């Protein structure tokens, strides 16, 4: 089992860099940040850009993979985003993971003045976003005129360090998005499918995992070759409520076939509020054992 951690971009770098260094030193397999212009009740800040944060993190770490959880077409254009991705992959020495998703409603979807799209259109836009992003990252000189995006001779030179491009970790719960996982993904990430209590949340996760298996089979891809990431803190209980609870949750994810799990660095209040000492305990005492499981 590989274990990752999300570090929200809500601190000045003078404070935040300690967390990225520590995650690397502790042995977490991957570290992520949210790709938003503003997020929920933290929109009033402080809040910093994800790609600049990840690039800075690449300079103070040496082995941990770094990624967005997740980038979306709410404010990203594939042609421009490609330049940031290739820069991050270069600075990190090929340690970039690209989490991508359809994008929801809220600040990101409204701040640029556009209309809030209904779910079907958000998935339509997402499908075109992923296809064009894949194309521009792999080929130099892409021209595209679609329903949602236009690119004229978009360049990617020198391209990613990783070939043919950085790995895509595609967020998907519904059938159409899961087909994008099968077509473009090196990994799948899910937050589950709701649930008012822990057991119903896990039941939803299990059903989504089965849905992915069916989708991959239909696409002719071996389900065993797909990396599967579970964002554990979408559950009704914070995964770092205690060290034992964290270990139990990792075990449940492994039983369902997940290859990777992701937790969040505890915050003082609001979202992911918790005790940083529990994270220290998990990282120093349990992490080596859990990674071997």
């Amino acid at each position: 089992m590989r274990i990752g951690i999300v570090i929200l971009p809500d601190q000045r770098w003078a404070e935040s860099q300690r967390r990225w260094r520590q995650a690397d030193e502790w042995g977490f397999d991957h570290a992520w940040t949210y790709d938003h212009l503003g997020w929920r009740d933290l929109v009033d800040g402080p809040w910093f850009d994800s790609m600049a944060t990840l690039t800075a993190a690449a300079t103070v770490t040496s082995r941990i993979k770094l990624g967005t959880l997740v980038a979306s077409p709410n404010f990203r254009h594939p042609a421009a985003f490609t330049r940031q991705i290739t820069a991050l992959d270069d600075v990190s020495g090929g340690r970039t993971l690209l989490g991508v998703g359809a994008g929801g409603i809220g600040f990101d979807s409204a701040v640029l003045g556009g209309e809030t799209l209904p779910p079907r259109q958000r998935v339509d836009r997402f499908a075109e976003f992923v296809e064009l992003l894949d194309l521009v990252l792999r080929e130099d000189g892409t021209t595209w005129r679609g329903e949602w995006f236009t690119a004229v001779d978009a360049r990617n030179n020198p391209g990613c360090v990783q070939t043919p491009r950085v790995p895509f970790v595609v967020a998907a719960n519904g059938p159409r998005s899961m087909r994008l996982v099968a077509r473009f993904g090196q990994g799948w990430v899910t937050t589950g499918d709701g649930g008012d209590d822990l057991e119903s949340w896990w039941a939803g996760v299990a059903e989504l995992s089965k849905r992915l298996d069916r989708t991959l089979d239909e696409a002719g891809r071996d389900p065993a070759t797909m990396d599967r990431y579970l964002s554990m803190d979408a559950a009704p209980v914070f995964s770092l409520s205690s060290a034992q609870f964290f270990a139990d949750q990792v075990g449940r994810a492994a039983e369902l076939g997940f290859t990777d799990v992701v937790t969040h660095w505890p915050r003082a209040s609001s979202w992911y509020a918790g005790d940083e000492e529990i994270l220290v305990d998990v990282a120093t005492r349990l992490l080596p054992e859990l990674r071997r499981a």
Side-chain angles (χ1 to χ4, degrees):
M1 175 66 75
R2 293 182 293 262
I3 300 176
I5 190 163
V6 176
I7 302 171
L8 295 188
D10 62 346
Q11 291 185 322
R12 292 191 181 277
W13 183 244
E15 302 168 350
S16 179
Q17 62 178 300
R18 171 188 68 85
R19 296 183 173 185
W20 294 93
R21 283 197 180 101
Q22 190 67 77
D24 191 42
E25 292 169 3
W26 275 332
F28 280 96
D29 295 283
H30 29 78
W32 311 79
T33 201
Y34 284 2
D35 188 43
H36 292 289
L37 298 177
W39 187 69
R40 299 191 181 181
D41 61 352
L42 304 184
V43 70
D44 292 327
W47 193 265
F48 295 95
D49 176 74
S50 66
M51 298 303 286
T53 296
L54 291 168
T55 304
T59 69
V60 298
T61 58
S62 62
R63 43 152 300 278
I64 195 168
K65 292 185 180 297
L66 304 167
T68 52
L69 203 69
V70 292
S72 84
N74 266 336
F75 59 91
R76 295 290 186 190
H77 188 292
F81 195 29
T82 291
R83 289 302 197 188
Q84 294 174 290
I85 295 164
T86 54
L88 174 59
D89 205 43
D90 181 61
V91 173
S92 68
R95 291 185 284 131
T96 302
L97 294 169
L98 187 68
V100 291
I105 61 174
F107 186 81
D108 286 353
S109 66
V111 66
L112 299 183
E115 62 177 315
T116 298
L117 299 176
R120 177 175 291 277
Q121 287 183 289
R122 290 204 302 273
V123 177
D124 290 342
R125 183 183 63 176
F126 180 44
E128 187 174 317
F129 173 80
V130 174
E131 183 172 2
L132 179 54
L133 189 62
D134 168 73
L135 186 62
V136 179
L137 282 169
R138 287 188 297 103
E139 299 182 8
D140 193 32
T142 297
T143 295
W144 176 283
R145 290 180 176 83
E147 180 180 358
W148 301 97
F149 300 102
T150 297
V152 179
D153 196 23
R155 304 303 182 91
N156 76 350
N157 189 31
C160 298
V161 174
Q162 301 174 84
T163 56
R165 56 159 169 76
V166 300
F168 285 7
V169 180
V170 182
N173 281 358
R176 293 178 63 205
S177 294
M178 283 197 175
R179 288 195 288 272
L180 293 176
V181 177
R183 184 178 175 190
F184 296 104
Q186 286 66 56
W188 166 61
V189 62
T190 184
T191 56
D193 195 18
D196 295 330
D197 57 73
L198 193 59
E199 292 307 313
S200 62
W201 183 79
W202 276 109
V205 169
E207 183 53 43
L208 288 171
S209 187
K210 293 176 183 176
R211 179 183 296 172
L212 180 69
D213 286 341
R214 294 192 296 269
T215 303
L216 294 172
D217 282 335
E218 291 167 359
R221 290 191 63 175
D222 181 358
T225 65
M226 179 67 66
D227 289 339
R228 301 171 186 233
Y229 295 74
L230 179 63
S231 183
M232 296 194 296
D233 296 327
V237 183
F238 183 38
S239 63
L240 288 170
S241 297
S242 72
Q244 185 58 56
F245 183 73
F246 183 84
D248 291 343
Q249 299 303 94
V250 172
R252 294 187 73 162
E255 290 173 359
L256 292 177
F258 283 89
T259 59
D260 298 73
V261 294
V262 182
T263 186
H264 287 71
W265 198 290
R267 302 180 66 256
S269 60
S270 186
W271 297 95
Y272 315 119
D275 185 349
E276 194 168 305
E277 289 303 312
I278 295 175
L279 170 62
V280 174
D281 185 28
V282 165
T284 58
R285 184 173 60 87
L286 295 181
L287 190 59
E289 178 182 343
L290 293 171
R291 290 180 69 222
R292 288 193 298 268

